[in-house]
Amino acid sequence: MAKGKKESLIMTSGEAVGTLAAQSIGEPSTQMMLRAFHSAGISSVITTRGLPRVIELIDARKRPRNPGMIIRIEKKISKDYEKVREIWRKLEDVKLSALMSGYDENLRSGVMTVHLDPERLSSYEITGRTIAAKLGKREDITTEQDEKDIVVKIKKKEGVKSTRTVFVNVLNSSIIGIPGINKAVVQQDEDGTFYITTSGSNIGEAMKIDGIEKEDIYSNDPFEVLKNYGVEAARNTIANELISTIKEEGLTVSYRHIGLVADAMTLTGEIKSAGRHGIAGEKASVLARAAYEETVKHFINAGVFGETDRLSGVAENILIGKQIGVGTGRIRLGVRKEDIKKLK
Amino acid sequence: MVKTPELILKHEILSDSEAKKVSKKYNIGLDKFPRIVETDVQVQKLKGKPGDLVAISRKDPTGNYTYYRLVVKD
């Protein structure tokens, strides 16, 4: 019986697996459309869910709306809360504006006094001196530090407007943490190990922090993964994100379909979208492209550049009314020369 | 914890004779294989050159299998 089951799962040669995959993902996504956009509850890290997320992944958006990471801690220290917190402190991007209680600025004389909030400073365990030192690296300002304030003086006075721009930049400059990570939360697993989830993704910088499992940072941004871990990892990310998004909605799609889409998207070693700017827009056949989207554009370009259509795909053969090369249509019959002689 | 897949898989560069065997098994030329760029982190680790065939040991819900990619110029 097991053998029969196994054999029934093997695809026959010539099966239109791409079409099957498209239908298998398309059907649940219409259901997702109907019940999207209402989720309740509190979640510490925001994620895009449902159909918008599926579209985001398949369109291969360079900037996902809610990127995030899951960071695992090295085994030695993964149960030590204090040490995990130390790592956490290095992660979250904290701007100057988050560490102060207020500021006074005099735009005409180009002087700004930032009043630091001692409570917030102690919660991030930094001192005014380190902040002043960090700000001192900027070339357009000079800093002075007294007890609770940092006095920022602008070097070149070029009118009120540019002074204000510099001040805003100073207030938004990051003091500790990794740029791009807005929020990090330490979480505990059932077995007592700690891990960190973040909103905002920057694997390259996170890998530089000691105590983190460098090869095991999970990000939901395929492009981040592609840059740091390579295509195969990016392919796994796309497939996993797609399947978990669909699962979250209470629907099921076989991994085979999702895996095929992920494979097709990463076929060239880079991530390509499945739409008209990616896979579908780069088909060899003019007729197939014209049948999909932007018909006139493709015909005009084909005319200008003298393209030929070899009529080997599916769409173009449907268009001209020929048998398509799918399933039994792929099989051609031939007769050997010797056999013809026998017939005579 | 949220279950996440193993991201980094084992990559291996095949010798010329092995590559020929694989290409014969699937009855396609080397240029028809899926690609991986030369600057890919995993290829750099193995010091692969354009024209090499990389065997990747995949593990996913459908089972364990080998996937092949051809190293190409970026």
Side-chain angles (χ1 to χ4, degrees), chain A residues 70 72 189-190 193 195 215-219 225-237 240 255-256 263 266-270, chain B residues 1-9 11 32-37 39-42 45 56 58-62 65 67-69 72 74:
Chain A
I70 297 174
R72 287 177 177 83
D189 222 357
E190 282 160 9
T193 55
Y195 64 100
E215 304 273 273
D216 207 12
I217 301 172
Y218 182 79
S219 169
V225 178
L226 174 71
K227 207 171 84 191
N228 295 293
Y229 294 150
V231 250
E232 271 302 310
R235 182 257 177 202
N236 285 342
T237 309
N240 180 64
Y255 189 89
R256 283 153 251 268
D263 276 346
T266 55
L267 201 68
T268 55
E270 286 153 359
Chain B
M1 191 192 303
V2 189
K3 243 193 176 180
T4 55
E6 217 175 293
L7 282 186
I8 299 175
L9 304 170
H11 288 52
K32 293 274 165 62
F33 277 94
R35 284 157 197 194
I36 189 166
V37 286
T39 50
D40 194 278
V41 184
Q42 304 303 327
K45 259 189 214 165
I56 299 147
R58 275 192 182 172
K59 285 173 210 160
D60 61 27
T62 56
Y65 58 97
Y67 196 77
Y68 300 93
R69 281 182 189 272
V72 289
D74 203 1

Side-chain angles (χ1 to χ4, degrees), chain A residues 10-20 314 324-331:
Chain A
I10 295 172
M11 273 291 132
T12 9
S13 171
E15 186 71 60
V17 284
T19 314
L20 265 178
V314 176
I324 57 171
V326 162
T328 46
R330 258 176 87 88
I331 296 158

